[in-house]
Amino acid sequence: MRVIQSDIEAVLFSAAKPMPLDILAEVFSVTPETMEVALSQYEKALVQEARGIRIRRSGAGIELVTAPEAGRYVSRIRQREDKLSAAAMETLAVVAFKQPVTKAEIEEIRGVNSEKVLKQLLNRDLIAELGRKDTVGRPVLFGTTDTFLRSVGISSIDTLQREIRIQESLELSEVASTETKEDEVESANTAEAESTAE
């Protein structure tokens, strides 16, 4: 069976969330391999025709997104939307890196009550309750959602955490390098001062 590009577009456009490849294959009654070929052709056509949409693949599946070239116009719409507060961004970062994590653990890291912020992130479907920790009181465990992955363009939490670790390593290296240079300058100044005194 031949998969028509306009049909792919209609299905992805109407889907409320990213569609896994095997589900798309079932919808069109073809093998995943055939579906992958059809998607690749559609993906190339969108670029060649300079369309305003593109296909994006993530750990959650395949979806339609706006083309990067239209970014300046799309950003004007997004600027009208409510932005996450600094507290919400900080909490989201903690959940993304430490998950599964409890409210108490989040508050220990942030140093402030996080109940209101967690509710905000839950309402926006950026985090979700993953279950309960097997400790006294059985506190709720929080983790990020597919919505969060799509919003940051990351295919998986492992990828995100790996990138964070790399960034932290680079920052630590820069700090160490700066401290080494400062020590060298201080040693040189001390040696010069001692030489002058003699």
Side-chain angles (χ1 to χ4, degrees), residues 46-67:
L46 290 175
V47 175
Q48 290 170 351
E49 296 168 17
R51 300 276 296 280
I53 54 176
R54 296 287 185 272
I55 281 181
R56 180 166 71 185
R57 301 166 190 263
S58 70
I62 299 151
E63 64 182 328
L64 290 178
V65 297
T66 53

Side-chain angles (χ1 to χ4, degrees), residues 20-146:
L21 180 63
D22 57 345
I23 299 298
L24 275 174
E26 284 182 24
V27 169
F28 289 98
S29 301
V30 297
T31 64
E33 291 76 18
T34 299
M35 192 70 237
E36 179 58 49
V37 170
L39 280 168
S40 296
Q41 292 173 346
Y42 174 50
E43 200 168 8
K44 289 176 183 175
L46 290 175
V47 175
Q48 290 170 351
E49 296 168 17
R51 300 276 296 280
I53 54 176
R54 296 287 185 272
I55 281 181
R56 180 166 71 185
R57 301 166 190 263
S58 70
I62 299 151
E63 64 182 328
L64 290 178
V65 297
T66 53
E69 298 89 332
R72 61 176 175 160
Y73 302 111
V74 175
S75 65
R76 292 176 187 173
I77 294 295
R78 289 182 176 167
Q79 283 171 4
R80 293 174 177 266
E81 298 174 353
D82 292 335
K83 295 182 179 179
L84 288 175
S85 64
M89 291 293 289
E90 182 181 74
T91 303
L92 187 55
V94 172
V95 174
F97 190 65
K98 298 291 186 180
Q99 65 185 304
V101 62
T102 66
K103 174 176 173 287
E105 290 167 340
I106 293 168
E107 291 175 343
E108 184 179 350
I109 293 170
R110 295 190 62 232
V112 295
N113 186 293
S114 301
E115 185 171 354
K116 186 177 178 181
V117 178
L118 286 171
K119 284 182 179 178
Q120 180 187 1
L121 295 175
L122 284 166
N123 289 336
R124 292 195 177 206
D125 192 35
L126 293 172
I127 65 171
E129 295 182 5
L130 303 181
R132 292 188 174 271
K133 191 169 184 177
D134 192 19
T135 58
V136 177
R138 296 184 54 76
V140 173
L141 288 166
F142 295 99
T144 52
T145 63
D146 290 340

Side-chain angles (χ1 to χ4, degrees), residues 154-172:
I154 298 290
S155 61
S156 71
I157 290 302
D158 288 340
T159 301
L160 176 65
Q161 293 179 342
R162 186 166 59 250
E163 290 187 3
I164 291 173
R165 289 191 188 98
I166 290 172
Q167 183 62 36
E168 286 181 341
S169 295
L170 290 173
E171 289 174 358
L172 287 173

